[in-house]
Amino acid sequence: QVQLVESGGGLVTAGGSLRLSCAASGRAFSSRVMGWFRQAPGKEREFVATINNSGGMTYYADSVQGRFTISRDNAKSTVYLQMNSLKSEDTAAYYCAAGGYSSTFKVRASDYNYWGQGTQVTVSS
């Protein structure tokens, strides 16, 4: 049982940076895999980044590799997505997700059990 509260998102200029936060409440946050997904208008939801329970293993979609960084603070039950060098193609609604207990990462939406409400990221020009 996990509840996710997202913050961040907004309008930024291409090349700029933005940090998304996802605060979790419930049991066993430190044991769960966490992830970020996004969905643009008219497109399917796609994987962005994932991090294992300890934070020692991360994985990214090719489209964001080298620009985005996922991290977690288990003491604060919070996961972050730092987005740098933003492009117009990054414009989408971003969703935080919590999965089950896992020592590795998960890249499929079906592997996650709990979802935030989403936050809009818009990159201009």
Side-chain angles (χ1 to χ4, degrees):
Q1 182 67 30
V2 177
Q3 296 80 45
L4 304 175
V5 180
E6 298 168 322
S7 62
L11 176 64
V12 298
T13 303
S17 298
L18 192 65
R19 188 183 75 163
L20 306 182
S21 298
C22 177
S25 62
R27 297 185 178 182
F29 172 81
S30 62
S31 296
R32 298 179 182 275
V33 62
M34 300 292 295
W36 288 94
F37 293 77
R38 67 187 183 186
Q39 186 169 16
K43 304 294 184 180
E44 295 292 315
R45 181 170 53 184
E46 66 174 349
F47 164 77
V48 175
T50 182
I51 187 167
N52 75 328
N53 55 0
S54 70
M57 180 181 296
T58 60
Y59 184 76
Y60 302 89
D62 289 343
S63 59
V64 306
Q65 179 71 47
R67 299 188 297 117
F68 290 11
T69 302
I70 187 172
S71 62
R72 68 192 296 164
D73 186 338
N74 284 341
K76 297 181 178 180
S77 297
T78 302
V79 63
Y80 306 94
L81 184 67
Q82 178 66 47
M83 303 183 291
N84 298 327
S85 301
L86 283 163
K87 306 174 181 179
S88 60
E89 295 79 21
D90 296 317
T91 296
Y94 283 71
Y95 298 88
C96 175
Y101 301 173
S102 180
S103 61
T104 188
F105 54 78
K106 303 293 183 181
V107 301
R108 296 183 297 185
S110 60
D111 290 325
Y112 292 85
N113 309 115
Y114 307 98
W115 295 83
Q117 295 181 354
T119 183
Q120 180 67 36
V121 172
T122 301
V123 184
S124 64
S125 189

